[in-house]
Amino acid sequence: MPTNNALLEKLSKIKALADEALDTHECQTALLMYQQLLDKHGLNSADVEITAAMQAETIEEVAVYTGQRIAKWMRYLYTTVAKHHRCIAASCKVFRGSAVCRQTLQFIGHKQDAEIAAEAFKTALDAAFRLYNRYQLQKAASDTCLTLPGHGQSEHSNRSRYMMGFAHGLEAAYRQQEAETTFDIIITVPADVREHVSGYGKHTIRNDVPITDSNVIAGYNDGFNIGRGDRLAEQT
């Protein structure tokens, strides 16, 4: 497909901006614009002669979490991150006899996409746990918490609800950020990545609307603000 020098120059500048970004949010925003331009003009990174590294689009499988049991909210969080970073969310299981002894979550995509998705997931996961602990301390210190919906539930239930709210809030932030860009493009997984995983068992999770209680609302707000680039994870 023919391209003009102005477009290639613009793509090169956006990629350079992402490479030189001082924080993760700025990097992700620049890469989002870069990926949208590629999709809009039917290009891939190999068509843009930026560096030899950008021309070689290898597909990577980047593991991000391993555990015996993986909570539903965590699966929702990582599938959300995957689809907004042009990756496939996949999980592999190791069996001991007929029982699963551990599971590994991984992102499959172009090397750069998979690495960014992995970093975004780890950052979001760390923020979720840190902000949940802060929320619990604030809740315990508030006399009004006794009247809030959700009081009296177990600690495990409270955390699960907060975390699911967090995952939904982060997804809402991704969608809003993409809608606010100047290009009306849906982020899609590249064809070669889809072909690479064609023999894999697909991993999806139903997009349940979380029950609206105080835990879910708090998680949603924190997840949305993290996704919008607020520095909540650095606050104590």
Side-chain angles (χ1 to χ4, degrees), residues 54-88:
M54 283 303 298
Q55 293 176 0
E57 287 284 7
T58 59
I59 296 176
E60 297 278 329
E61 300 180 8
V62 181
V64 291
Y65 187 87
T66 298
Q68 185 173 4
R69 298 182 64 184
I70 299 177
K72 183 177 180 180
W73 65 262
M74 188 180 293
R75 292 183 183 278
Y76 187 80
L77 180 64
Y78 105 104
T79 54
T80 292
V81 172
K83 69 183 180 183
H84 289 285
H85 288 280
R86 295 166 26 114
C87 292
I88 296 290

Side-chain angles (χ1 to χ4, degrees), residues 105-126:
L105 305 181
Q106 58 186 357
F107 293 111
I108 302 176
H110 289 160
K111 184 176 186 296
Q112 182 174 256
D113 294 332
E115 290 176 349
I116 292 174
E119 185 62 30
F121 174 78
K122 292 174 183 176
T123 299
L125 194 62
D126 288 343

Side-chain angles (χ1 to χ4, degrees), residues 118-164:
E119 185 62 30
F121 174 78
K122 292 174 183 176
T123 299
L125 194 62
D126 288 343
F129 282 116
R130 186 176 303 140
L131 292 171
Y132 173 71
N133 290 336
R134 187 185 71 173
Y135 164 68
Q136 281 295 89
L137 290 174
Q138 292 173 341
K139 186 176 176 182
S142 173
D143 292 335
T144 60
C145 71
L146 296 178
T147 63
L148 291 175
H151 176 71
Q153 297 168 347
S154 68
E155 169 64 16
H156 175 75
S157 176
N158 286 342
R159 188 174 75 170
S160 295
R161 290 168 183 270
Y162 174 94
M163 294 301 196
M164 185 59 85

Side-chain angles (χ1 to χ4, degrees), residues 36 56 80-81 96 118 171 192:
Q36 289 177 325
T80 292
V81 172
R96 182 175 297 160
E171 181 178 35
D192 57 337

